[in-house]
Amino acid sequence: MTWAWGGVAVVTLLLVVAGTRGILRARSRQRVEGRLTALVAEAEAEENAARFDAAVKAIQDAIAEAARLDSLRPARLEELQRLRDKFVRRAAVAQLESAAKAAPAAAIATYKALLARTWRDGSLEGLEGTLRERLERTRRQWAEADLAAARQAVGAGQPNEAIDLCDRLVKTAEELAPAVQSQLQNDAHAIVVALIDQRGVIFDPPQGQFTLGTPQSYQTTLQPVLSPLLRQHGYVTDRPSSSWNSLWKTRAPYHVAVEVVERQNGSYLNTGSQLSSLSLRLMLNREGSSIWQVGPLLAQTQPSIPSLSAFTASRFATDARRRREFERVLYDDAQATLMVKVQSSLRNLPDVRVSKP
């Protein structure tokens, strides 16, 4: 009989375990049902508040919860999916309405993002035509507005602003219908070519004798200093990003020329490193004739270099050998002095002289 009572105990234990598991599953289901109900309520509240993106997120979370419960009951999942599609479409319509009031760049970005979504999301079926029409209209209106603004800028003596507007216009028009694109780009081309022919200026490669400097290093140092001043005086400077950049080399009447003489002579204090002496001449030429020049501007390494740290000074102070890295420090000091003189000399830069067509 002992074995019989043992069997009863085992059966009883199994029933208890099964019952406990059933209770736990029921409680887990209740928790999921509670979250699901709360998420659906949250989604509907967000919809009523016109926060459609938030409504979409809440209903998608609800769909994920329902999938855990209703794998064998698709009806509720289908109903939640219909709600999700409704919220997605309402969100898209709200974005369309907002974009209609936005600046052109923001509107175009919204339309393009929505257009990409229509290809992935069936709930946005039917919106592609509307989006394409609005994209075309917004691009065209923006390009036409930039063309009008560019013409006004020319009349107001703001040639660089006019070119900036024409550059933006060309990029905006790239995706317009070919006939419209061609007309807008031709109009912009005429504006830019006329400005380059009258006011264009380019930087010729610096010429001369170099020790530690190079033509490219002078170009890199001088151009950011000269370009804003030239613009202030009515010249239009070349710009690498412009659609018309290549025209400056062939059509610009003004050229900035730079002549440099670099020398190393004498030693710095008790070191074996050579001092730098720099000479620079700046010229502005129009069609081969000089209309302005400064220089030669002279600069050399200072006896006491303010930027030289005590550690560096003590390290090289008694070094009788020539140190290339220290000579670079001495050269940089001379060039810093030279650039101060260059900036001071630019105060009498002449305004552009525009010949009447």
Side-chain angles (χ1 to χ4, degrees):
M1 294 296 291
T2 303
W3 61 267
W5 286 110
V8 170
V10 169
V11 170
T12 303
L13 179 60
L14 290 173
L15 289 173
V16 170
V17 170
T20 302
R21 286 180 177 174
I23 292 170
L24 292 175
R25 280 197 298 269
R27 289 178 179 175
S28 175
R29 184 180 182 87
Q30 287 174 353
R31 286 195 295 271
V32 174
E33 288 281 5
R35 288 197 297 270
L36 179 56
T37 301
L39 285 167
V40 172
E42 178 187 346
E44 291 173 342
E46 297 290 6
E47 181 197 20
N48 292 334
R51 293 190 290 265
F52 302 113
D53 289 332
V56 171
K57 182 181 183 308
I59 206 67
Q60 286 176 334
D61 290 344
I63 291 171
E65 292 289 348
R68 297 170 57 188
L69 296 175
D70 299 334
S71 58
L72 301 178
R73 294 169 52 196
R76 180 156 64 174
L77 278 171
E78 290 173 0
E79 176 59 27
L80 291 173
Q81 187 64 45
R82 282 193 291 271
L83 277 176
R84 179 260 176 203
D85 291 349
K86 182 181 77 167
F87 296 157
V88 167
R89 194 170 186 91
R90 290 200 66 184
V93 170
Q95 288 180 55
L96 277 171
E97 293 172 354
S98 177
K101 305 171 187 175
I108 289 171
T110 297
Y111 296 145
K112 290 175 72 173
L114 285 173
L115 188 60
R117 285 177 60 189
T118 63
W119 303 330
R120 311 190 296 269
D121 197 325
S123 65
L124 298 179
E125 184 179 358
L127 284 182
E128 182 173 349
T130 299
L131 288 165
R132 289 191 179 280
E133 185 275 329
R134 290 203 184 184
L135 260 175
E136 177 83 7
R137 185 174 69 223
T138 304
R139 284 178 175 136
R140 180 167 184 169
Q141 289 174 345
W142 194 17
E144 289 173 344
D146 278 349
L147 180 61
R151 287 170 173 155
Q152 290 177 352
V154 171
Q158 299 172 326
N160 287 284
E161 289 80 355
I163 293 178
D164 290 340
L165 287 162
C166 287
D167 270 320
R168 187 170 71 181
L169 179 165
V170 167
K171 292 180 176 63
T172 304
E174 283 176 351
E175 297 185 58
L176 291 174
V180 177
Q181 175 186 352
S182 178
Q183 182 61 56
L184 286 165
Q185 291 180 344
N186 287 343
D187 290 344
H189 182 78
I191 291 172
V192 174
V193 167
L195 289 172
I196 293 174
D197 285 348
Q198 293 179 339
R199 301 167 176 266
V201 60
I202 62 172
F203 293 84
D204 293 336
Q207 304 294 316
Q209 304 170 29
F210 301 91
T211 55
L212 298 182
T214 64
Q216 182 59 46
S217 69
Y218 276 89
Q219 189 102 345
T220 302
T221 302
L222 289 169
Q223 196 159 338
V225 174
L226 290 170
S227 289
L229 286 170
L230 287 164
R231 289 185 176 209
Q232 289 174 19
H233 287 274
Y235 301 89
V236 291
T237 55
D238 64 328
R239 51 204 79 187
S241 61
S242 174
S243 303
W244 294 276
N245 187 56
S246 61
L247 294 182
W248 263 271
K249 292 182 180 179
T250 58
R251 306 185 73 108
Y254 294 97
H255 288 243
V256 174
V258 181
E259 293 180 356
V260 177
V261 177
E262 294 185 350
R263 291 192 176 90
Q264 287 184 302
N265 44 42
S267 298
Y268 183 75
L269 300 179
N270 296 321
T271 73
S273 298
Q274 297 278 293
L275 298 165
S276 282
S277 296
L278 311 178
S279 171
L280 182 143
R281 187 191 302 271
L282 272 175
M283 290 156 285
L284 180 62
N285 302 323
R286 178 182 170 88
E287 297 175 344
S289 299
S290 176
I291 62 170
W292 173 84
Q293 63 177 309
V294 293
L297 304 174
L298 305 177
Q300 61 183 8
T301 307
Q302 301 177 75
S304 176
I305 303 176
S307 62
L308 195 62
S309 69
F311 172 77
T312 304
S314 62
R315 178 185 171 194
F316 294 106
T318 58
D319 194 334
R321 295 168 295 178
R322 288 191 66 176
R323 292 285 192 173
R324 191 71 171 176
E325 66 270 29
F326 188 52
E327 288 185 346
R328 168 58 67 177
V329 173
L330 303 177
Y331 172 85
D332 289 344
D333 176 72
Q335 192 176 67
T337 302
L338 181 64
M339 290 308 301
V340 171
K341 293 186 176 184
V342 167
Q343 290 177 322
S344 299
S345 71
L346 298 177
R347 294 170 184 166
N348 63 343
L349 189 70
D351 291 337
V352 69
R353 293 182 295 183
V354 178
S355 58
K356 294 183 179 180

